[in-house]
Structures are given as structure tokens and as C-alpha cells.
Amino acid sequence: MDGHLLSVARRVKGFMPDAEGQDLHQAGLEGGRLGPLLEIGSYCGKSAVYLGSAARAAGTVLFTVDHHHGSEENQAGWEHHDPEVVDPRSGRMDTLPFLRRTLEDAGLEDFVVAVVGESTTVAAHWGTQVGLLFIDGGHALDVAMADYDAWARFVLPGGILAIHDVFEDPADGGQAPFEVWQSAVADGFTPISTTGSLRTLRR
Ligand code: SAH
Ligand code: MG
């Protein structure tokens, strides 16, 4: 991956270890041959840099969907809370300004389209098939499964489904993404890679 993009990805706030980001980038290069890339869960744009860099190289774009008010697990009092992303005016989380700065610093504004809204609402009005779908939104079981149910149908034949934070052992983390992965396998997606908690499958 381009050195400048890699340094931006590494310094941006977020939840994507570099090895997983690089695997995601590879998956993006592959999926990008078939169609655009789509991410659920932008946060401050860390994974969007790994994927956006792949979109640029593949001659396509990344759509990244988030309401930018944080998941349950990002709220005050929870493990993944960062007070710097709270908007003092409303007292609510707002990560959109951080995402915009990340894309500007990375020089990826022409290749990454921020879609601001609730994931399943966007999906209900969506129509474009994608070469790669990356699910990294809310990690509560109902939320993660709703993302899968709403978006999996848009993955093109031969396209890639990537799921983050998949932990087989409950001691390592929440089980919702693992349940989503199991549903995908049951639905006929073929597992292709595991890097840390990132799993990819092919339709
Ligand atoms: N991919 C990011 C991390 C995403 S954190 C990285 O690389 O760092 C999960 C994100 O999902 C949060 O920003 C949260 O606002 C968003 N989210 C959670 N539930 C959502 C929903 N139902 N619709 C849209 N976005 C949602
Ligand atoms: Mg994640």
C-alpha cells in the first residue's frame, strides 16, 4: 500500500490493527475488480483508508456508511469510548468531522463517498451491487445481524464479504460478528481468509 496512505491509516483513531487493515486492502483490490466497495461503520475513517486506497487502485469507489453517533459500545461509560469525539454542543458523539479530515489528509476524497445515515435505512433504498461488503458497524447481535440481512444481497457473485471482530472464543470478545460469519457460511459464502479478527468470504 502507498506509504502516505499507510501512515495516515496508522495514525487515525479507530479499531483496525495494521495487519488486518492490509488484509482488508488486499480484499478491496480483489473485490474492486467486480464493482464498488461498501463499508458499514466508518467511525473516523481508519478502515476507510485501507479500503479507499484499494478502491483508487482498482478504479472504483468506496461507499462508507455511518450515522456517526457511535455504537452502543462507543458511548460514555463503555469500553470503546473516546471523549474527544463528543460534540460539546449536543453532548452526543459525532465522528463525521474526523472522517472528513482523514479523507482529506489521505487525499482520498475522490474515491471515498461518505453516506451518513442509519445502515438499514440506507440499505432499504440501496440498489447498487458491490464487489466487496465490509461489516463493521454496531456489534450488538440484533444490530450486526440486521446489517448482514440488509446488505449481504448486494454482494456480486464472486464478490467478497468481510466481517470484523470475529471471535470464536467468547473470552476474546463479543459473539455477534461470529454469529454473522456463521450465518454467511450457512448461506453459502465460502471462507477465504482470517487475519486476527478479520474474516473474508467469497460469494
Ligand atoms: N471501521 C472503523 C470502526 C467502526 S466502529 C475503524 O476502522 O476504525 C462502528 C461504527 O458503526 C461507529 O462509528 C457507529 O456510529 C457505527 N454504527 C453503529 N450502528 C450503526 C447503524 N445502525 N447505522 C449506521 N452506523 C452505525
Ligand atoms: Mg471493528
Side-chain angles (χ1 to χ4, degrees), residues 13-16 39-48 65-74 93 95 117-120 134 136-139 143 147 164:
K13 282 179 191 299
F15 310 103
M16 173 74 36
E39 164 176 78
I40 312 301
S42 326
Y43 194 60
C44 301
K46 195 179 194 67
S47 48
V65 179
D66 201 309
H67 51 43
H68 288 284
H69 290 308
S71 309
E72 191 177 28
E73 56 274 15
N74 303 131
M93 282 180 61
T95 49
E118 205 281 323
S119 162
T120 58
F134 175 47
D136 192 24
H139 289 23
V143 178
D147 283 341
H164 199 223

Side-chain angles (χ1 to χ4, degrees), residues 116-176:
V116 181
E118 205 281 323
S119 162
T120 58
T121 304
V122 177
H125 300 276
W126 191 260
T128 302
Q129 298 287 107
V130 301
L132 172 139
L133 169 65
F134 175 47
I135 301 182
D136 192 24
H139 289 23
L141 182 58
D142 55 337
V143 178
M145 208 51 96
D147 283 341
Y148 173 74
D149 289 339
W151 289 102
R153 74 191 68 166
F154 295 108
V155 179
L156 285 158
I160 294 173
L161 171 64
I163 306 170
H164 199 223
D165 305 303
V166 176
F167 300 107
E168 253 180 89
D169 183 347
D172 296 330
Q175 293 295 285

Side-chain angles (χ1 to χ4, degrees), residues 26-117:
Q26 285 305 319
L29 289 175
E30 221 182 296
R33 291 203 288 259
L34 301 176
L37 316 181
L38 193 140
E39 164 176 78
I40 312 301
S42 326
Y43 194 60
C44 301
K46 195 179 194 67
S47 48
V49 173
Y50 291 103
L51 283 175
S53 153
R56 180 175 75 180
T60 186
V61 297
L62 166 70
F63 294 101
T64 182
V65 179
D66 201 309
H67 51 43
H68 288 284
H69 290 308
S71 309
E72 191 177 28
E73 56 274 15
N74 303 131
Q75 304 303 323
W78 289 71
E79 186 189 348
H80 296 292
H81 182 62
D82 179 347
E84 277 177 27
V85 301
V86 173
D87 176 356
R89 191 193 59 90
S90 63
R92 302 171 76 195
M93 282 180 61
D94 182 6
T95 49
L96 180 58
F98 293 84
L99 172 67
R100 289 180 58 80
R101 274 176 232 156
T102 298
L103 298 178
E104 182 177 53
D105 290 353
L108 285 174
E109 289 174 303
D110 291 343
F111 306 96
V112 181
V113 179
V115 179
V116 181

